[in-house]
RNA sequence: CACCCCAUGGAGUAGCGGUUAGCUCACCUCCCUUUCACGGAGGUAGCACGGGUUCGAAUCCCGUUGGGGUGACCA
């Protein structure tokens, strides 16, 4: 039994599209499921559109998503595998050999400086592992240009030649290639070679059903990294677009996907991109993630927003992140939720101030200030604080909320946030007292403004 | 225009001839609760349409409609 060899063959055009990522994912899953080889091949034949630095985008995207490739170019210029070169721009001699073969056998001819392949005009069946057997008529199929006037080979030719040369056993690609596959089969037959198996996966569409292009929101993988999504969450979401574990699970470890994944079970209908669901899945991963695993991501985002500099209180940052991460779903929410931890001049939410910094609210702040200042700094923890709050509420005959809401706003500027007692504990006695004082001063003169 | 693919609530899906059509997101209500989030209990909402086949169809066949793809000296 021959071992599976699959490839991901992107063009370096400047971004890593979510559809490409899903194609890469399914290839990678199939390779891992079968114990086969996952190959990266760079289709950079269109010199006008491809730039060398764009290759880094592909490397980074694959690396971020955790799709390690067994063969192909590596970052830094190294190469793995003995079927290279893996850049089509470096395989000109190989393509020429195949074109010459077709020419010498009369299966191709010159026309206006270009070289055209004589396509068969008889019906053909394209067998597909996902779509089934598909018939194509081909009666009016025009001959196919395989080499341009300038001597460069076109996609259909290089794609087929490389799959043959690299021993690809399964071509797993987007359904947009399904209608072109009969051309590939014709070329392979002309070369007298054995075709790989094909599996065309459904496309990812916009929420409105249109084709997802580069400019559409959510199309770029780099954006997810920037916005603080977790790669495992994005990967998990992508698995669910066109594939299902069939046991009602939504969140599942990639190992389970690898074990369950197979081509015949891939869906045939296009799927629409749903940012809400990705958001939810990310929240599941975010909350379950160990604090250390999201620290770098959080640090990067907070620094990008100018909230943290090179130097910062590591323990304080970590403690703050720990209570915040329970409440949010994606890294991009971090600046809003954590900004106040690192500056004393944070603004107060005006609407919330109007509502809770009333005369009564401010009076409570004063009482609280007095009470909390009695606590020994080393006892300033969530448990003690809860006791104090409850004691004051009981003593003044108020509901706990009457104390909690003004306090939260006073120490964080916001009406939403982590568990208040834990928030106060993380801030520490000194910060809490000074923040209470600041709110008292700023609002006592004109309550509720 | 031609050819190809597809069609379960708003979105992703389970279902593969007999189910009160299941699950997740989103939305709504309630509970929990210091806010938010989580968690819990409910709710709104679906087999595109029309013909067949069959005792019986979301499941099989045909047509229609709708959506997507391909038809490049782009990939």
């Amino acid at each position: 039994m021959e071992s599976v060899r699959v490839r991901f063959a992107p063009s370096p055009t400047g971004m890593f599209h979510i559809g490409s990522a899903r194609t890469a994912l399914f290839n990678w899953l199939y390779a891992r499921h079968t114990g086969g080889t996952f190959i990266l091949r760079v289709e950079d034949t269109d010199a006008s559109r491809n730039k060398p630095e764009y290759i880094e985008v592909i490397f980074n995207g694959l690396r971020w998503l955790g799709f390690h490739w067994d063969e192909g170019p590596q970052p830094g210029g190294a190469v793995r595998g003995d079927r290279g070169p893996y850049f089509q721009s470096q395989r000109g001699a190989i393509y020429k050999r195949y074109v010459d073969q077709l020419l010498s056998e009369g299966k191709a001819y010159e026309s206006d400086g270009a070289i055209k392949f004589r396509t068969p005009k008889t019906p053909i069946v394209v067998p597909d592992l996902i779509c089934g057997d598909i018939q194509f008529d081909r009666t009016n199929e025009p001959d196919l240009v395989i080499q341009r006037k300038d001597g460069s080979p076109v996609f259909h030719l290089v794609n087929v030649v490389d799959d043959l040369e690299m021993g690809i056993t399964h071509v797993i690609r987007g359904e947009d290639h399904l209608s072109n596959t009969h051309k590939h089969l014709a070329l392979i037959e002309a070369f007298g070679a054995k075709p790989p198996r094909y599996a065309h996966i459904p496309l990812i569409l916009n929420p409105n059903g249109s084709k997802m292009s580069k400019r559409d929101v959510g199309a770029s993988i780099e954006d997810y990294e920037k916005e603080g999504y977790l790669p495992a969450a994005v990967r998990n979401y992508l698995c669910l677009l066109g594939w299902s574990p069939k046991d009602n699970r939504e969140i599942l470890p990639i190992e389970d996907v690898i074990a369950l994944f197979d081509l015949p079970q891939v869906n045939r209908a296009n799927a629409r991109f749903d940012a809400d669901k990705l958001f939810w899945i990310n929240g599941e991963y975010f909350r379950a993630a160990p604090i250390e695993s999201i620290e770098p991501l959080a640090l990067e985002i907070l620094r990008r927003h100018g909230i943290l500099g090179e130097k910062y209180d590591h323990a304080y940052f970590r403690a703050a992140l720990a209570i915040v991460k329970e409440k949010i779903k994606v890294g991009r929410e971090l600046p809003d939720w954590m900004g106040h931890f690192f500056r004393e001049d944070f603004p107060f939410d005006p609407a919330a101030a109007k509502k809770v910094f009333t005369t009564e609210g401010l009076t409570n702040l004063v009482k609280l200030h007095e009470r909390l200042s009695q606590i020994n700094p080393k006892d300033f923890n969530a448990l003690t604080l809860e006791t104090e709050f409850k004691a004051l509420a009981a003593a003044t005959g108020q509901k706990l909320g009457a104390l909690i809401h003004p306090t939260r706003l006073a120490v964080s500027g916001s009406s939403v946030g982590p568990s208040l007692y834990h928030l106060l504990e993380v801030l520490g006695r000194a910060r809490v007292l000074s923040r209470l004082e600041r709110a008292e001063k700023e609002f006592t003169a004109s309550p509720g403004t």
Side-chain angles (χ1 to χ4, degrees), chain A residues 244-263:
Chain A
S244 158
K246 300 190 191 295
D247 58 6
N248 287 340
R249 276 189 296 172
E250 305 286 330
I251 306 295
L252 62 170
I254 197 67
E255 293 74 26
D256 289 11
V257 180
I258 289 170
L260 293 167
F261 185 84
D262 206 353
L263 264 8

Side-chain angles (χ1 to χ4, degrees), chain A residues 292-320:
Chain A
E292 320 83 66
S293 72
I294 59 168
E295 261 185 62
L297 170 161
L299 203 51
E300 196 278 319
I301 290 178
L302 293 177
R303 280 182 172 150
R304 180 145 40 88
H305 282 76
I307 289 166
L308 281 181
E310 276 310 301
K311 286 186 166 182
Y312 65 96
D313 182 335
H314 186 87
Y316 178 54
F317 160 70
R318 176 180 271 222

Side-chain angles (χ1 to χ4, degrees), chain A residues 54-98:
Chain A
Y54 290 167
I55 292 159
E56 291 300 320
V57 175
I58 293 168
F59 287 159
N60 288 338
L62 289 173
R63 199 166 40 183
W64 187 67
L65 287 165
F67 304 153
H68 302 292
W69 57 102
D70 309 302
E71 280 184 29
Q74 305 293 316
V79 179
R80 289 184 64 185
D82 54 6
R83 304 278 197 124
Y86 294 90
F87 287 100
Q88 289 187 329
S89 57
Q90 297 169 15
R91 299 172 63 81
I94 299 169
Y95 306 135
K96 184 170 188 311
R97 209 171 68 224
Y98 277 80

Side-chain angles (χ1 to χ4, degrees), chain A residues 226-238:
Chain A
K226 282 200 195 80
E227 291 194 7
Y229 279 84
L230 297 171
V234 174
R235 197 172 55 191
N236 191 144
Y237 174 68
L238 253 18

